[in-house]
Amino acid sequence: MPNKTKNHKNKKPKVTKPHRVSKRGRTKKRLVDIHTSRDRYTPIHEFSPTRDTYEHGIHPMDQYLRPGRIPHIWCSGCGLGSIMTCFIKAVQELDLDASKIAIVSGIGCTGRVAGYMNLDTYHTTHGRAIPFATGLKLAKPDMHVVVYSGDGDLFAIGGNHFIHAARRNVDIDIICVNNYNYAMTGGQVAPTTPIRARTTTTPYGNFEYSFNLPYVAIGSGAVFVARWTALHVRRLKETFKEAILKRGFTFTEVLSPCPSAYNRMNKLGDGLDEMRYYKEHCIIKHGADPAEAKLGIHKDIIVGKFVDKDKPTFMDLYNDELAVVHGKEPTLEISKKK
Amino acid sequence: MRPQVLQGIHFMNGDVACAEGAIAAGCKFFAGYPITPATEIAERMSDRLPEIDGIYIQMEDEMASMAAILGASWGGVKSMTATSGPGFSLMMENYGLGLMTETPCVIVDIMRGGPSTGLPTLVSQGDVMQSRWGTHGDVGVISLVPSSPQEMFDFAIRAFNLSEQYRLPVVILGDEIVAHMTEKVVIPSAEEIKLTPRRHPKVPPSEYLPFAPDDDLVPPMACAGEGYNVHVTGLTHDDRGYPVITPEAQKDLVSRLVNKIRKNANDILDWEEQELEDADIVVIAYGSVARCAKEAVRRARNDGINVGLLRPKTIWPFPEDRVKKLAEYVKLFIVPEVNFGQIAFEVERHSVYHAQTLLIPKMGGDIHTPEEILKAIKEMA
Ligand SMILES: Cc1ncc(C[n+]2csc(CCOP(=O)(O)OP(=O)(O)O)c2C)c(N)n1
Ligand code: SF4
Ligand SMILES: [Mg+2]
């Protein structure tokens, strides 16, 4: 829980001790809305808006973080911080012109990434990051447009947009942080929640099938599909680099601990416990058939780069269309076919 | 290949005229989802945009269409979508995002009979209040109500100009009759068309506050890729664009969003008036209905009745000061509209204690005949 951070110095760090759990499996204190109260107390530092003028530290990643936005709202033990660090590192190592990268997020804990990165960032409505990003990318084809959002945002309310953007092969990169639940609203069931897992709206255990996200992505037409966890920082960073450079619709699923909501409800311990679980149960299998990479509670996790192929993007095909309209020959094989 | 501005005299329906107006205004991005009676706008855009290297994309639904035009606008491109009632309902979510993030773009809503799927092919004016209050929260909005294919063309240009000037999604509330009627449309030359450019920041990124307004309460806009690193959020935000979840920030932001329309209303408002000086009765009508109202007023005048016409061209903001002024000497306002009373209540609100308001409602499907309006005038004279 974010509000506890102040006491950390005085306490010995507890690593493995599970949360105190009542008989029915819920912690005593119910989470209502984890973050709204936190926002009020975020100190607003003196304003200085660009990375050149800001001087709060010497960390090499500072220039990619928005001045005055730290401390963030995320709970201690949450995977979102390390995943964002991987992303920043990827951008840094690619040495891209930062003004040519835009982040589009939906709503959720993951959706808050947009607000922390010192780039052109768009924090849109719940589920609509992908169509917003589609418009942005088509209007600004020279930019790298990255959609950074949660599993609920991208696959429940935004699921239809996901499959259609993948079908069109719009040249955008989707980063989906999958914490198996709707974390921002306090931990409700999501389309990714495994069967039998508890959430605040499945107090007796989830009775719905869940999505296998890489399988959905491939079935919809994504040209690049990978899965890692918040533990695989180096591999994740490399995948981010590949995805950003890849032409076409890419999908990276990142499994992430959510100690405050999902882990708590399922007695999975804190962030470190979850990381340990990843360490012990992840099997790296590049090129694995995503159909066989389904996730489940207490199951092994297949990670790796599942798909990496090439096909013309939406803009490639559209440019051919423009060529035809202007009386020229199309260039792509696929557009030449009648 | 046809040029961007189809200068000349044409015989066009309102939908096509609207698409041509948008293209003449520099629209280079259209995202939409087909729906009667707005489909012809999408069809015309899919035909015309590739000719001028613009982008047409048919999205998977109207939520996506609305989101896509916001994204395109932040990409620095003038963008538009077109829909009708059911789709307009779906757009309310991101219409709100557009208002909150002050994103210039244009939404065309061709009104058909509702609620729900209603009368897909027949007219209504049932979305007037939806365009005002359909998205949650307090907002200041601009909606234009064309009465002819010519106005569909002219108002499309004006809608883009207003959206750039005041940084918001502007709604063109056409109705099925105006959209499907074919009439003479005069398209001026490109040089004669005045376009409002986007207001770019005049300061370097280090000094730029993305949501700090100029004197007219509108902030200059830095788009994606310009190096300004703007954070844009639908959360309540401060001048930096950072989310601030406090009553104070809410007050600052929302009052500015409302006031930027209220305080600039005199620039935005546009209406036509006819024989109001000595009027005892004033007919207030908009859209296709205004055409019949005009005829009814003409005939009543011939019969010696002191009646005039007020035809709003911008329905939001509403010409409330004009109505208040009229209420000082006018006895009665007659408001024929193809709904169960939307603008009639607005008229009543601004004339209460001074003049009476008579609503002539129609549930949708057809508009009032001049005789129906004339009958009401005669009965009340
Ligand atoms: C239209 C709409 N419905 C519901 C919500 C409430 N809501 C906010 S975040 C969220 C779920 C987010 O889940 P996910 O995308 O998995 O992100 P996480 O918080 O887990 O990172 C919901 C339901 C909303 N903001 N908008
Ligand atoms: S995802 Fe879970 S742990 Fe992370 S910030 Fe949200 S509620 Fe906290
Ligand atoms: Mg989630």
Side-chain angles (χ1 to χ4, degrees), chain A residues 217-289:
Chain A
I218 287 166
S220 311
V223 291
F224 178 101
V225 179
R227 175 197 281 153
W228 297 109
T229 74
L231 176 78
H232 297 90
V233 287
R234 201 168 43 78
R235 292 186 166 91
L236 181 59
K237 177 199 72 188
E238 291 304 322
T239 289
F240 283 158
K241 281 159 68 176
E242 277 185 76
I244 291 171
L245 296 182
K246 179 89 189 169
R247 296 188 78 248
F249 186 91
T250 75
F251 176 65
T252 308
E253 177 184 21
V254 194
L255 305 180
S256 171
C258 170
S260 299
Y262 184 75
N263 286 28
R264 184 177 58 90
M265 289 296 290
N266 291 288
K267 305 186 200 173
L268 297 174
D270 60 18
L272 273 182
D273 294 324
E274 181 84 359
M275 290 295 213
R276 193 165 293 119
Y277 186 85
Y278 294 154
K279 191 165 167 12
E280 286 160 9
H281 293 269
C282 281
I283 302 167
I284 299 178
K285 233 188 199 174
H286 294 301
D289 178 359

Side-chain angles (χ1 to χ4, degrees), chain A residues 1-2 31 34-35 73-80 108-110 177 179 181 183-184 186-187 256-262:
Chain A
M1 293 295 299
L31 288 174
I34 296 180
H35 296 309
I73 65 164
W74 296 320
C75 312
S76 53
C78 178
L80 281 163
C109 295
T110 316
V177 177
N179 48 23
N181 78 133
M184 172 62 98
S256 171
C258 170
S260 299
Y262 184 75

